Amino acid sequence: MWCHRPHHVHHTSSEKVQGCDLHEGEFGTPGVVICWRYVHDGKAKTAKQVVEVMDHEKKSITFKMLEGDLMEEYKSFVITIQTSPKSDGKGSIVHWTLDYEKLHEGIGHPESLLQFFIELTADMAAHLRKET
């Protein structure tokens, strides 16, 4: 879903993600630029990102932040999502890696954003289980 249908993520967690718009390129290809509309910590936010890496073999995707609310606190922000199938074949384990540089030491670590991603992953898993 993250690679080829990010615009469907809001169907899995509409309280967190309101939409994903294509700005440049084509979904499913590296270099595509997308803009997310989401709610984090009770506030409506946006994130414009470019997909830097899409590795189907490793089941990973890397988004680099270009614009949006996170850039008010961070010089750079890169999100990598990697999915590993469970050994029993029932579901997957999702790893989120946040690589960021704060604008200054007064800025906190994005712990609530990591919690947001954990909850979003759980919502997506529940949605996908309903489809099967």
Side-chain angles (χ1 to χ4, degrees), residues 59 81-95 121-122 124-125 128-129:
K59 298 180 180 0
I81 307 166
Q82 183 173 16
T83 305
S84 305
K86 290 182 179 179
S87 59
D88 65 4
K90 296 179 182 177
S92 297
I93 297 171
V94 179
H95 295 272
T121 301
M124 290 177 74
L128 292 171
R129 278 193 299 273

Side-chain angles (χ1 to χ4, degrees), residues 47-54 60-67 70-71 74-82 95-102 110 113-114 117:
K48 187 174 183 180
Q49 303 172 324
V50 61
V51 174
E52 284 194 316
V53 178
M54 198 176 288
S60 71
I61 186 167
T62 300
F63 298 94
K64 179 182 178 185
M65 191 69 60
L66 300 174
E67 300 173 11
L70 283 174
M71 299 313 287
Y74 301 95
K75 288 181 190 177
S76 62
F77 208 101
V78 177
I79 300 167
T80 301
I81 307 166
Q82 183 173 16
H95 295 272
W96 289 81
T97 303
L98 310 181
D99 185 16
Y100 55 91
E101 182 180 355
K102 300 184 284 184
L113 187 62
L114 186 56
F117 290 140

Side-chain angles (χ1 to χ4, degrees), residues 5-125:
R5 295 175 290 140
H7 53 293
H8 289 192
V9 171
H10 78 276
H11 295 299
T12 69
S13 188
S14 60
E15 290 180 15
K16 291 177 186 59
V17 178
Q18 279 66 59
C20 175
D21 301 318
L22 178 65
H23 277 257
E24 205 175 294
E26 213 175 294
F27 287 129
T29 61
V32 65
V33 177
I34 55 179
C35 186
W36 297 94
R37 294 181 319 280
Y38 64 103
V39 175
H40 174 239
D41 289 340
K43 297 177 186 157
K45 299 188 178 188
T46 61
K48 187 174 183 180
Q49 303 172 324
V50 61
V51 174
E52 284 194 316
V53 178
M54 198 176 288
D55 188 329
H56 296 289
E57 192 174 301
K58 292 184 180 178
K59 298 180 180 0
S60 71
I61 186 167
T62 300
F63 298 94
K64 179 182 178 185
M65 191 69 60
L66 300 174
E67 300 173 11
D69 294 278
L70 283 174
M71 299 313 287
E72 294 173 10
E73 296 183 329
Y74 301 95
K75 288 181 190 177
S76 62
F77 208 101
V78 177
I79 300 167
T80 301
I81 307 166
Q82 183 173 16
T83 305
S84 305
K86 290 182 179 179
S87 59
D88 65 4
K90 296 179 182 177
S92 297
I93 297 171
V94 179
H95 295 272
W96 289 81
T97 303
L98 310 181
D99 185 16
Y100 55 91
E101 182 180 355
K102 300 184 284 184
L103 284 174
H104 56 79
E105 286 306 311
I107 302 292
H109 296 287
E111 293 166 352
S112 68
L113 187 62
L114 186 56
Q115 184 60 39
F116 172 90
F117 290 140
I118 291 168
E119 293 170 7
L120 178 60
T121 301
D123 291 348
M124 290 177 74

